[in-house]
Amino acid sequence: MTMGEEENLQSLVSELETELQTRANENSILEAEVRALQRKLARRDSEILKRESEVHKLRSVLQQASSLMARGEDHLLNTIQETFSVSGQIALPKKQGVSGQSLTLNQDVQIHIHEKDFRSKALIKEAIMENDFLQNLSPSQVHELVDAMHEKTVPKNCYVIREGEYGSYLYVASEGEFDVIKEGKVLGRLGVGKAFGELAILYNCKRTASIKAVTDGKVWALERTVFQQVMVSSGMKKMENQLNFLKSVPLLSELPQNVLSKMSDVLEQEVFGVGDYIIREGTSGDTFYILAEGEVSVTKRSEGEEQNIRDLTKGDYFGEQALLKTDLRTANVIASSEVVECLTLDRESFFQLVGDLGELHDKVYTDLEEKPKEKDCKELIPQPSVECLDIELDDLEVIATLGIGGFGRVELVKCRNRSSATFALKCLKKEHIVETQQQEHVFSERNIM
């Protein structure tokens, strides 16, 4: 073989190795995308199940309502409200967390960043996101854990973990295969991209099984103190950022530091996707929202159509009307950006911390108020015929129920003395109208009718 041919072969081998590495990186990217799509699909399936459960609840309520109407009981509305207290509002699950030993920030623990290629970072991230104990960590926490993990080589037939021993490391398999052994029996086999030993970074506990290398392999490792340091520092950073954000909210800017600190402790974080209903008009409300990220649209149903009345952005708040004046939501609030992050207060915390702020009580939403009528509008409204003016309530006989709303029901009735004449009779409970402060609306509706 000549010198030139040898150089050509070396060049070809180098090109093939480069291409192989490129293909491997592309394959890793595709694998990461597939896993992300699988998680998204799982979330969609979970949402469908929740919606189906909600539909079953509504059907049950409607069946009970039909039964009560057939028996002629007059406490139909109360029964519906007691049976289905959330009024159709889909309950969003609280964000779960990872718990462990009490943690304090240790200045002596240094978090070293270990360089990794894209494939390794994607591999570790997917392993963490697929682990039941770690999947609820925030993206920033996952990013820090990925950077802090270092690589270890494991020869064939060597133990990574031994059953009964105390451990302090979390591992993610990078290369090779590993047997899971308990009491001398092989329970299963772990491959590349699987996390194991996660309990050791949460608690100082004994290993419940052994992990043995079947082939020569490599693992990414994370020590408990490093994990704890990441959790504490990220938690403190989150609290600091949240406190700074609360100070920037105009409504809260004048509150003292101790009140803002208490708010930061009790605030819950909820995340919504574009198109999600954060609040539904007419449903009961027990939550106050502060918009921390993204944009939302406020809409209200008018003349059978949903109309946009205003848009809210970061720093705005909503949901206080149902807490201060009525238990029912006066409008819809819909997420209009890809990601909407809200900080929420429950009813009790709201009244303890911000319920007495003058701005909340004095704020008037003119776009939610009834539009004033023109002075001559009565001339345009048809007046009842003279022959109907002498009809009393006792003269009416119920034929059927036409519909049920949030404040009452509408009955189809006829006059006993004039069987050919039928009317729609709206039935309201005075106690419920007074409790929800709807007197003006009722009188306005009466005047129009």
Side-chain angles (χ1 to χ4, degrees):
M1 182 181 294
T2 63
M3 184 69 69
E5 290 176 342
E6 185 176 350
E7 290 177 353
N8 289 336
L9 285 174
Q10 289 177 348
S11 175
L12 181 61
V13 169
S14 178
E15 290 177 1
L16 290 174
E17 288 177 345
T18 302
E19 185 178 354
L20 182 62
Q21 183 63 39
T22 302
R23 294 290 176 87
N25 289 338
E26 291 175 352
N27 188 49
S28 297
I29 294 172
L30 290 174
E31 288 178 352
E33 290 178 352
V34 168
R35 290 194 181 99
L37 288 172
Q38 287 174 338
R39 288 200 306 274
K40 187 175 181 180
L41 184 61
R43 287 196 298 269
R44 291 287 177 87
D45 289 341
S46 176
E47 186 67 22
I48 289 172
L49 290 174
K50 285 189 289 185
R51 296 293 173 94
E52 288 178 347
S53 174
E54 211 64 33
V55 168
H56 291 321
K57 289 181 182 178
L58 285 169
R59 284 177 177 167
S60 174
V61 171
L62 290 175
Q63 288 171 359
Q64 186 173 357
S66 300
S67 174
L68 287 173
M69 284 189 292
R71 284 157 37 202
E73 302 209 15
D74 61 354
H75 59 279
L76 172 62
L77 292 177
N78 289 337
T79 304
I80 290 178
Q81 290 166 354
E82 291 170 4
T83 305
F84 197 55
S85 59
V86 295
S87 303
Q89 183 88 6
I90 296 175
L92 295 173
K94 297 282 187 183
K95 185 173 181 181
Q96 297 178 356
V98 176
S99 60
Q101 293 174 273
S102 298
L103 308 179
T104 55
L105 189 63
N106 188 346
Q107 301 293 344
D108 296 331
V109 177
Q110 299 296 322
I111 301 177
H112 299 286
I113 296 177
H114 300 271
E115 293 296 327
K116 302 172 184 66
D117 57 23
F118 176 84
R119 174 187 174 278
S120 298
K121 288 183 177 181
L123 187 77
I124 298 171
K125 181 181 177 182
E126 288 302 320
I128 291 174
M129 297 305 294
E130 291 175 359
N131 187 277
D132 292 337
F133 290 93
L134 306 173
Q135 61 183 355
N136 292 305
L137 297 176
S138 68
S140 60
Q141 290 172 330
V142 173
H143 179 75
E144 290 190 56
L145 294 181
V146 170
D147 287 342
M149 296 190 85
H150 61 278
E151 193 173 48
K152 285 186 174 183
T153 300
V154 184
K156 180 179 178 180
N157 294 326
C158 285
Y159 284 86
V160 183
I161 290 174
R162 288 185 181 273
E163 182 180 358
E165 293 183 354
Y166 286 95
S168 60
Y169 279 88
L170 159 74
Y171 299 98
V172 174
S174 175
E175 294 180 12
E177 292 185 324
F178 304 84
D179 277 343
V180 181
I181 306 171
K182 186 174 180 63
E183 297 177 354
K185 296 180 180 179
V186 177
L187 302 181
R189 181 165 293 186
L190 301 175
V192 174
K194 293 298 181 182
F196 54 92
E198 64 277 3
L199 284 180
I201 61 172
L202 300 177
Y203 305 96
N204 183 26
C205 59
K206 292 182 179 181
R207 301 291 194 181
T208 57
S210 298
I211 305 294
K212 181 180 179 181
V214 180
T215 62
D216 290 336
K218 293 181 180 179
V219 294
W220 293 102
L222 180 72
E223 211 271 331
R224 183 196 303 132
T225 55
V226 176
F227 172 80
Q228 293 176 344
Q229 191 77 355
V230 170
M231 293 299 103
V232 172
S233 61
S234 62
M236 292 179 65
K237 190 183 300 180
K238 180 182 177 182
M239 287 186 65
E240 182 181 355
N241 293 339
Q242 193 163 275
L243 199 58
N244 291 333
F245 168 72
L246 293 177
K247 291 178 182 178
S248 70
V249 177
L251 172 69
L252 311 173
S253 58
E254 300 299 324
L255 290 177
Q257 179 78 14
N258 64 322
V259 174
L260 291 177
S261 297
K262 289 179 182 178
M263 279 192 67
S264 181
D265 288 339
V266 299
L267 281 170
E268 293 284 346
Q269 184 185 59
E270 294 188 26
V271 179
F272 304 89
V274 61
D276 288 348
Y277 274 75
I278 304 173
I279 285 177
R280 287 185 182 271
E281 182 181 358
T283 61
S284 62
D286 290 302
T287 307
F288 173 66
Y289 296 84
I290 302 173
L291 193 54
E293 199 66 50
E295 299 176 354
V296 299
S297 298
V298 182
T299 68
K300 190 171 178 65
R301 184 163 290 279
S302 176
E303 298 178 358
E305 294 184 358
E306 203 167 299
Q307 298 181 355
N308 187 295
I309 54 180
R310 65 179 175 275
D311 296 309
L312 302 178
T313 56
K314 182 178 179 179
D316 290 328
Y317 60 88
F318 54 92
E320 79 285 356
Q321 293 292 303
L323 298 176
L324 292 172
K325 300 179 181 179
T326 172
D327 287 336
L328 300 180
R329 301 297 191 184
T330 56
N332 300 305
V333 178
I334 307 169
S336 54
S337 57
E338 287 298 323
V339 177
V340 172
E341 181 182 315
C342 293
L343 301 178
T344 65
L345 281 176
D346 60 28
R347 181 182 289 270
E348 182 180 353
S349 300
F350 171 81
F351 282 109
Q352 286 180 352
L353 298 171
V354 298
D356 58 348
L357 289 178
E359 180 181 334
L360 290 173
H361 292 270
D362 299 338
K363 189 165 186 176
V364 177
Y365 293 98
T366 56
D367 47 13
L368 292 178
E369 293 180 342
E370 296 290 334
K371 294 183 179 179
K373 305 295 180 183
E374 298 294 335
K375 291 183 180 180
D376 59 347
C377 65
K378 287 187 177 181
E379 300 175 4
L380 303 176
I381 300 174
Q383 300 300 315
S385 60
V386 177
E387 63 179 5
C388 295
L389 292 176
D390 62 338
I391 296 177
E392 299 291 338
L393 188 60
D394 293 336
D395 298 330
L396 300 176
E397 180 181 343
V398 177
I399 301 174
T401 299
L402 296 177
I404 299 174
F407 294 96
R409 64 182 185 273
V410 179
E411 306 282 11
L412 177 65
V413 299
K414 67 178 181 179
C415 183
R416 291 189 177 90
N417 301 328
R418 303 166 193 164
S419 58
S420 60
T422 56
F423 307 93
L425 176 67
K426 186 166 186 177
C427 307
L428 302 173
K429 278 201 170 187
K430 183 177 178 180
E431 180 185 4
H432 186 53
I433 296 301
V434 173
E435 284 180 355
T436 55
Q437 301 179 7
Q438 298 295 314
Q439 296 96 316
E440 288 187 19
H441 294 287
V442 172
F443 283 121
S444 298
E445 186 175 356
R446 183 200 65 180
N447 294 335
I448 292 173
M449 297 298 289

